[in-house]
Amino acid sequence: MMKSQKSRAVGPEIDPLWLGSGWTLEDLKRPQVLLESTWGDSHPGSRHLNELVEMAKIGIYKSGGKPSVYTVTDICDGVATGHDGMNYSLVSRDIISAMVEIHARSVPFDALVTFASCDKATPGHLMALARLNIPAIHVCGGSMMPGPGFISAEVCYKTNEEVLMGKMTETEQHYYQKNACPTCGACQYMGTASTLQIMSEALGLSLPGNALMPAWSNMIRLMAEDAGKAVMTLLEKGLTPKDILTSEAFENALMVHAAVSGSTNALLHIPAIAREVGITITPRSFDEINRKIPVLAGIKTFGPWPTQFLWYAGGVPGIMLALKDHLHLDVMTVTGRTLGENLEKIRKSDFFKLGSEYLKNYQLKPQDILKTIDSPYKQSGGLAVLYGNLAPDGAVIKHTSVVPGMFAHTGPAKPFDSEEKAIKAIFDGQITPGDVIIIRYEGPKGAGMPEMLKTTEAIYNRPELAETTALITDGRFSGATRGPAIGHVSPEAAVGGPLALVEEGDLIHIDINKRTLDIVGVKGLKKPPEEIKAIIKERFKSWRYTFPQNDGVLGLFRRAASSTDKGASMLKEG
């Protein structure tokens, strides 16, 4: 007997409540399917999701189910950036996940379809799918159409500075503001939103070809209807996320992540999803795969093309076909078929022909966007994980955005205890080429782990600093981040990590190729490793930190969140 029917049998008050909501007597007997979206007026990535939900309802009805629509909207990191609202961004992932769990178990529902496009909503939904372990599918909300000249939202950071410096008028700026986000969907670069859509499909939790599908198209609406039908098939077969989320499936996803040079935020979200099914993914797991899997897709911000062009070039199926000799093709997916079977089926369809024809509108070919493994954009994946006396448990850098001259760099530390202080120093001209900016107390237990996009853009938009100045933080970065930016330093400063002990003038050495991050000197003078170790130990004796007195959900997150290298979740101990 279905869970929903068991609850009806023991709760005679349930039927009249559902009938009072407009259900029929026939609806009461159907399998009940929760449709959980982040629809709302919050941002372009969520504004259109109600349309996809409506199409999935049709698919579920056609297949004999009864859908129920619930909504917990998400926030936009682009709107939250640069102020205290960003402290709530990572928290929102766990809250979204928790609300899906609450909704699903309070009925209880028999199956689940989730709908999201963006940074924290997609991983929040995937965490919930893994935790609930009922037949489920995630529908990706797709990608935004690129703006004219391929502009996107992040260009407005530069135009704002140019207005402040008198290099651009406000009228000229309005052109970029009005045209940067021309449709709904996830932003047009390989940020966290696009990355996590790709991860959902690569893990086997979304239908083939769904990630980055044009959000303005009829295609994505029809796919949402197909998802409604597919979840009913999963229910019939008894196939659940734990049948799909195996160690091999996560390894596949990490290989795809390397091939697209995905966002560093995946190092938070993929481990958090994996922990829900008892699998351990560490930063070192990412690093090992990034050493052997090359970057195949040249997507903004490090490459020239907007994310929608990656879908036209073949999307996740195209990437996986290029990587097929490395992938585990026998893993199960939400189609009820293996990955290998999915790829063979989509190869025989008109999926690749359709995308190729769209690219002709731009006088492009798929191979302009998506390279082969023998002739890649970059010879290794886009990420490196660094270890050393400054990051004993690791730190991450997206090195595809780093100029070769900064792959090995030693510079004097300029430490700041908040992002606001660091930004002020940059604007006031207190940072010079070669400096290593330290922003600390921004980790999960410090400030909630906000992203530092405003700081990285302030650096990047100053030519004298863009290719000479490093940034190191226990906070995180946007997928739009450019330049030598190292984040996720673990242990974080708030728990006494070495980042808390850095003093102005300490020499910091970064070596991406050797995967090291170390304090190598004091007051501008190099010291031997044993002496540095003793200095760090001595500084720790007098170190004190007063935790912020956050009330409400941010305080709850800060107190309960796991460490960065374990996914920074308050929903799983560790």
Side-chain angles (χ1 to χ4, degrees):
M1 183 184 290
M2 296 286 178
K3 291 180 180 179
S4 60
Q5 301 308 310
K6 289 180 180 178
S7 67
R8 288 182 61 219
V10 299
E13 68 279 9
I14 292 175
D15 285 2
L17 290 169
W18 288 142
L19 292 168
S21 300
W23 291 32
T24 67
L25 290 171
E26 183 183 357
D27 288 337
L28 295 174
K29 301 173 185 177
R30 294 170 178 255
Q32 294 183 25
V33 182
L34 171 61
L35 302 185
E36 182 83 54
S37 82
T38 54
W39 175 77
D41 289 336
S42 48
H43 57 88
S46 290
R47 186 62 184 82
H48 66 304
L49 294 178
N50 59 326
E51 300 172 27
L52 305 186
V53 171
E54 288 302 311
M55 293 301 294
K57 284 173 66 175
I58 293 171
I60 290 166
Y61 268 124
K62 285 181 177 179
S63 302
K66 174 64 178 78
S68 293
V69 176
Y70 287 47
T71 302
V72 176
T73 197
D74 56 344
I75 65 171
C76 177
D77 279 13
V79 174
T81 195
H83 57 86
D84 285 347
M86 179 53 72
N87 296 344
Y88 289 84
S89 174
L90 187 55
V91 186
S92 72
R93 177 197 67 180
D94 286 7
I95 298 302
I96 289 167
S97 176
M99 286 307 303
V100 176
E101 176 188 354
I102 289 169
H103 291 162
R105 286 184 170 158
S106 63
V107 171
F109 283 96
D110 302 307
L112 170 66
V113 185
T114 55
F115 305 77
S117 305
C118 289
D119 297 34
K120 306 306 172 298
T122 299
H125 282 173
L126 299 184
M127 289 167 66
L129 262 63
R131 188 181 316 132
L132 291 164
N133 198 39
I134 59 176
I137 289 179
H138 179 71
V139 176
C140 302
S143 59
M144 182 185 292
M145 186 175 81
F150 295 164
I151 62 171
S152 54
E154 85 276 4
V155 76
C156 294
Y157 288 96
K158 183 177 181 181
T159 61
N160 191 58
E161 286 204 21
E162 290 183 351
V163 169
L164 293 173
M165 292 186 287
K167 296 180 179 180
M168 179 182 287
T169 68
E170 288 189 3
T171 300
E172 290 171 324
Q173 183 188 31
H174 290 162
Y175 169 83
Y176 294 97
Q177 291 175 327
K178 289 188 292 184
N179 295 296
C181 300
T183 70
C184 289
C187 290
Q188 310 101 316
Y189 48 85
M190 192 52 68
T192 308
S194 298
T195 299
L196 266 294
Q197 287 194 32
I198 290 170
M199 292 296 92
S200 180
E201 186 177 334
L203 285 167
L205 293 177
S206 296
L207 293 177
N210 181 197
L212 307 183
M213 183 173 271
W216 45 262
S217 68
N218 287 331
M219 297 177 288
I220 196 168
R221 286 154 180 78
L222 294 173
M223 180 161 281
E225 182 179 347
D226 288 342
K229 297 174 183 176
V231 79
M232 296 302 295
T233 300
L234 292 177
L235 181 58
E236 182 182 342
K237 293 183 175 181
L239 191 65
T240 67
K242 284 188 178 179
D243 299 316
I244 295 168
L245 293 176
T246 61
S247 296
E248 291 77 13
F250 280 101
E251 189 170 344
N252 284 349
L254 265 59
M255 285 189 268
V256 172
H257 181 272
V260 300
S261 189
S263 167
T264 55
N265 283 312
L267 275 80
L268 295 173
H269 303 316
I270 295 298
I273 297 163
R275 284 164 64 82
E276 297 288 352
V277 292
I279 293 173
T280 299
I281 303 291
T282 67
R284 201 176 294 276
S285 308
F286 281 86
D287 190 68
E288 289 171 355
I289 284 177
N290 272 263
R291 287 175 183 266
K292 67 181 182 180
I293 299 296
V295 177
L296 304 182
I299 307 302
K300 295 178 68 171
T301 55
F302 94 88
W305 309 116
T307 48
Q308 199 159 103
F309 283 23
L310 177 55
W311 188 84
Y312 296 144
V316 174
I319 296 164
M320 288 185 137
L321 282 171
L323 295 174
K324 67 180 186 299
D325 291 340
H326 297 270
L327 299 175
H328 303 281
L329 299 177
D330 57 347
V331 295
M332 185 54 62
T333 72
V334 290
T335 64
R337 297 183 295 271
T338 66
L339 172 60
E341 291 168 339
N342 286 345
L343 292 177
E344 184 60 22
K345 182 178 180 181
I346 205 167
R347 189 181 63 80
K348 293 178 179 178
S349 73
D350 61 3
F351 176 80
F352 295 109
K353 177 183 177 182
L354 178 64
S356 178
E357 293 294 317
Y358 269 105
L359 282 178
K360 285 182 180 179
N361 294 341
Y362 298 90
Q363 297 182 327
L364 293 169
K365 299 176 181 178
Q367 54 267 37
D368 295 324
I369 317 299
L370 184 57
K371 303 296 185 182
T372 66
I373 202 161
D374 296 322
S375 182
Y377 271 97
K378 301 281 185 179
Q379 292 297 326
S380 63
L383 297 183
V385 179
L386 314 181
Y387 295 88
N389 63 28
L390 193 54
D393 294 332
V396 63
I397 185 168
K398 191 171 184 177
H399 62 76
T400 45
S401 305
V402 179
V403 295
M406 288 295 289
F407 268 55
H409 175 73
T410 301
K414 292 285 183 71
F416 301 93
D417 290 350
S418 71
E419 183 185 23
E420 292 79 6
K421 291 177 181 178
I423 291 171
K424 185 177 187 303
I426 294 168
F427 278 97
D428 290 348
Q430 297 174 17
I431 305 300
T432 58
D435 284 348
V436 178
I437 300 170
I438 304 286
I439 304 180
R440 57 196 176 195
Y441 302 113
E442 300 284 7
K445 291 188 177 297
M449 207 175 185
E451 70 178 31
M452 308 282 119
L453 179 60
K454 192 169 183 179
T455 309
T456 55
E457 287 299 299
I459 295 169
Y460 191 82
N461 290 324
R462 285 160 176 74
E464 74 279 11
L465 302 181
E467 297 183 353
T468 64
T469 305
L471 169 61
I472 302 174
T473 180
D474 49 7
R476 58 187 179 84
F477 295 115
S478 162
T481 294
R482 297 167 286 187
I486 300 169
H488 300 206
V489 173
S490 188
E492 63 176 288
V495 298
L499 203 67
L501 310 175
V502 175
E503 295 182 0
E504 186 159 352
D506 285 355
L507 292 179
I508 309 298
H509 181 66
I510 303 161
D511 194 318
I512 295 173
N513 289 330
K514 293 182 179 178
R515 303 298 202 261
T516 58
L517 179 63
D518 293 288
I519 305 171
V520 297
V522 176
K523 296 181 179 178
L525 299 175
K526 286 192 174 181
K527 302 284 185 181
E530 286 304 313
E531 188 173 342
I532 293 294
K533 184 177 180 180
I535 290 170
I536 292 173
K537 186 176 181 180
E538 187 62 29
R539 288 178 181 177
F540 185 74
K541 291 179 182 178
S542 58
W543 172 79
R544 297 290 183 274
Y545 177 66
T546 302
F547 284 95
Q549 295 302 305
N550 298 121
D551 295 325
V553 70
L554 181 56
L556 175 64
F557 179 82
R558 280 188 44 260
R559 292 188 294 273
S562 61
S563 61
T564 301
D565 57 306
K566 292 182 173 64
S569 174
M570 67 179 185
L571 299 175
K572 205 76 174 175
E573 290 185 12

